[in-house]
Amino acid sequence: MLFALAIAAMPTNADGIAAPEAHDARCLAAISYLIGVDNEKSKDLVPLATYFAGKLYGRNPAIDLTATLKDNLVTATEDDLRRAVPGCAAELERAGTAMKTAGAALSAMAKDAK
């Protein structure tokens, strides 16, 4: 019951998707769109798509990605999707930097323990 109340209180976008999930879904939709239309860059974009799909699955393992992508593509123009990608890529870059920093700290701790 408490869990249901917490979910009901979460901010949502116009489609009723939780706000953090809406951002990740928009990023995944934008990147997936570009993967479909730009074969040259598709290899570079797959890690971005995987990151945002992982965030969505982490929040909701039963998420219907097809429906989520459709919901986020219905009103989006190609320009909307292309404009979203740099911000999404910057988020992934920040996450990558944080992981490198954490890895370096763990490595230093291991060296100090010896």
Side-chain angles (χ1 to χ4, degrees):
M1 176 77 167
L2 186 58
F3 181 70
L5 291 174
I7 288 180
M10 290 177 69
T12 61
N13 69 1
D15 299 323
I17 299 172
E21 191 170 289
H23 165 75
D24 295 336
R26 176 63 97 182
C27 284
L28 180 58
I31 294 159
S32 296
Y33 171 77
L34 291 179
I35 287 171
V37 298
D38 193 342
N39 288 333
E40 253 181 58
K41 292 186 179 179
S42 65
K43 279 186 177 179
D44 296 335
L45 296 173
V46 169
L48 284 164
T50 303
Y51 172 77
F52 288 103
K55 287 181 72 178
L56 289 166
Y57 276 119
R59 280 193 198 93
N60 178 4
I63 192 168
D64 180 344
L65 280 183
T66 301
T68 301
L69 289 175
K70 283 182 183 177
D71 289 348
N72 279 275
L73 290 171
V74 167
T75 59
T77 66
E78 182 177 347
D79 286 342
D80 292 337
L81 296 172
R82 289 186 182 277
R83 278 194 303 270
V85 171
C88 300
E91 179 180 338
L92 181 63
E93 187 173 330
R94 286 189 301 272
T97 299
M99 287 187 281
K100 286 179 186 175
T101 300
L106 290 173
S107 181
M109 285 173 51
K111 286 179 184 175
D112 290 344
K114 288 183 179 181

